[in-house]
Amino acid sequence: MGGGTDAIRKAREVLDIEIAGLAAARDRVGDAFVRAVDVLHDCTGKVIVTGVGKSGLVCHKIAATLASTGTPSFFLHAAEASHGDLGMIMRDDVVLAVSNSGESEEVLKMLPLIKRWGLKLIAMTGNRRSSLALSADVVVDVGVPEEACPLGLSPTASSTTALAMGDAIAVVLLERRGFKTEDFLLRHPGGALGRRLLLRTRDLMHRDKEIPLVSEDTPLKDILLEITSKRLGVTGVVDGESALVGIITDGDLRRCLARSDGKADILERKASDIMTRDPKTIGADSLAAEAVALMEKFSITSLFIKAGDSERPQGIIHLHDLLKAGIV
C-alpha cells in the first residue's frame, strides 16, 4: 500500500515539474518565436532538424510533424552529419538545431558549413549563452526551472518542453500556410487515418426513401410521423419544385408544442410555420471530415447534402453516421 502511495506521489511530482517547465516556456513565447516562424515560413528549401541523444529523438518528432503539416522537413542526426550526411543540406535550407545545453559537440561541428553557406540557423536551447545560441540567427528559449529526474541528469522536463515548442511552431506554420484537410489527406493516404479522411459525404449519406422530407404545407401530425419513421431527429422542408427551403428538428417540435398552450389546432400547423429557413448544407463531394467541422461550428447534428448547384436535397448525413465511420 505504501509503495503504491509513493509511486502516485512521485508521478504527480514529475508531472508538476513538467507542467511548470511548459508554463515557463509559454510565458517566454514572444518576438523570437515569431522570428523563428518567419524564417521557417520563408524557407524555399527544406527544414533540417538536427540534434543528438534525447534531443535527437525530439527532433525526429518535430521533423515528422512539420513534414505532415505542410513544411518540408527531415531529421539529420548530428553525429552522422560529420561523417558525410552534411551532404543532405542544400543552400536554400534552414537548420533547426535542438540542444538543451547548447554545447553538444556533434551539433557544434555542423556550424562551419552552416555559416559558410549562409544558412539560417534556429537554435532551440535551454541555454541562451551557449555556443549554439550565440551562433544562431534566432534563439527559441526552451529552458526549464528543473528536470523531473531526481539526479538532474536525464532530460525530462526539458525534452517535453522542446517537443511541445516544436508542436507550437508546426501548428502556427500550418495556419499561416492555410493548410487544409485536403492537404493533410495527401500526406496521410495510408492506414486507418487515410481511409477515414478519404471518405466523402456521399459515401455515408442516407439517400432516396431514407431522406426525411415534407412539403411546406405538411401539417404537424404528418411531420411527427416523418421524423419518427426516418429516425434521424429531423426533416427537410421542400417547396413545389423540390428545393430545400427549411429544416425542422425534434427540438423545433418540442418548442412549438410548448408554445401552443394546449390549443386544439396545434396538429394542423404547417411545416412553413415551424421550420428554420436557410438550413446548413454540404456538397456530396465534400470530405466527411468537413461535415464534422461544419457541425461543430454551428452546433448541429445533421446536414442535408446537395449535388452541384441544385437546390434539391440528394441526401442527409447525421453525426451518428460520422461517429460510426470513425471520423469523429
Side-chain angles (χ1 to χ4, degrees):
M1 185 71 176
T5 301
D6 289 343
I8 292 171
R9 176 188 56 77
K10 189 59 184 178
R12 288 175 175 169
E13 281 181 12
V14 170
L15 293 175
D16 285 341
I17 290 171
E18 303 220 357
I19 289 170
L22 290 170
R26 177 186 181 279
D27 291 341
R28 289 195 301 270
V29 172
D31 292 342
F33 180 90
V34 174
R35 290 198 301 274
V37 170
D38 288 342
V39 169
L40 294 172
H41 181 265
D42 295 340
C43 175
T44 58
K46 301 175 296 299
V47 177
I48 314 300
V49 190
T50 188
V52 292
K54 302 299 186 297
S55 292
L57 297 175
V58 169
C59 289
H60 266 292
K61 167 59 167 62
I62 293 175
T65 301
L66 287 171
S68 69
T69 53
T71 300
S73 176
F74 68 84
F75 167 66
L76 174 60
H77 197 292
E80 299 296 331
S82 60
H83 294 281
D85 283 0
L86 276 174
M88 297 179 181
I89 302 177
M90 305 301 287
R91 293 184 183 273
D92 293 329
D93 296 341
V94 169
V95 177
L96 171 59
V98 182
S99 170
N100 186 46
S101 68
E103 300 294 345
S104 299
E105 181 181 355
E106 298 88 344
V107 174
L108 297 182
K109 283 183 178 179
M110 299 173 61
L111 296 181
L113 177 68
I114 293 171
K115 292 301 180 182
R116 181 178 176 183
W117 279 11
L119 304 181
K120 292 290 186 180
L121 173 63
I122 300 171
M124 190 179 291
T125 179
N127 184 358
R128 296 185 58 84
R129 294 183 294 276
S130 64
S131 300
L132 176 62
L134 295 174
S135 299
D137 296 286
V138 184
V139 179
V140 178
D141 189 349
V142 290
V144 296
E146 63 177 315
E147 297 285 10
C149 170
L151 303 177
L153 299 175
S154 179
T156 45
S158 59
S159 56
T160 298
T161 301
L163 187 66
M165 191 65 74
D167 286 341
I169 289 172
V171 171
V172 172
L173 281 169
L174 176 153
E175 293 189 349
R176 184 175 291 191
R177 296 185 193 283
F179 196 80
K180 295 182 172 57
T181 303
E182 294 89 337
D183 302 310
F184 191 82
L185 171 60
L186 290 173
R187 292 160 175 80
H188 297 79
L193 177 59
R195 288 193 296 275
R196 290 200 301 271
L197 288 175
L198 280 168
L199 288 173
R200 298 188 180 270
T201 55
R202 64 169 177 265
D203 300 320
L204 301 174
M205 71 182 186
H206 301 268
R207 59 186 76 217
D208 301 325
K209 293 183 179 180
E210 295 181 352
I211 308 174
L213 291 173
V214 298
S215 64
E216 290 179 284
D217 59 358
T218 301
L220 181 59
K221 58 182 179 180
D222 292 331
I223 296 171
L224 283 166
L225 288 174
E226 183 69 2
I227 292 179
T228 302
S229 64
K230 300 299 172 61
R231 304 177 67 178
L232 293 174
V234 66
T235 184
V237 183
V238 294
D239 62 15
E241 297 180 354
S242 299
L244 185 70
V245 294
I247 189 172
I248 300 174
T249 67
D250 50 10
D252 292 328
L253 293 177
R254 288 193 298 272
R255 285 186 287 274
C256 177
L257 291 170
R259 290 194 301 267
S260 69
D261 226 10
K263 293 179 181 177
D265 64 346
I266 181 62
L267 294 181
E268 298 305 320
R269 288 197 180 181
K270 297 179 180 180
S272 57
D273 301 325
I274 306 169
M275 70 182 187
T276 299
R277 297 184 182 276
D278 300 319
K280 305 302 177 190
T281 61
I282 194 168
D285 292 326
S286 298
L287 294 169
E290 292 180 83
V292 174
L294 203 56
M295 289 180 185
E296 289 179 342
K297 180 178 180 179
F298 294 103
S299 300
I300 55 179
T301 58
S302 58
L303 287 167
F304 277 91
I305 297 167
K306 296 179 181 178
D309 296 329
S310 173
E311 292 300 315
R312 297 186 178 186
Q314 183 182 9
I316 183 172
I317 190 167
H318 194 277
L319 181 60
H320 290 165
D321 304 316
L322 298 163
L323 285 166
K324 288 178 183 177
I327 306 298
V328 181

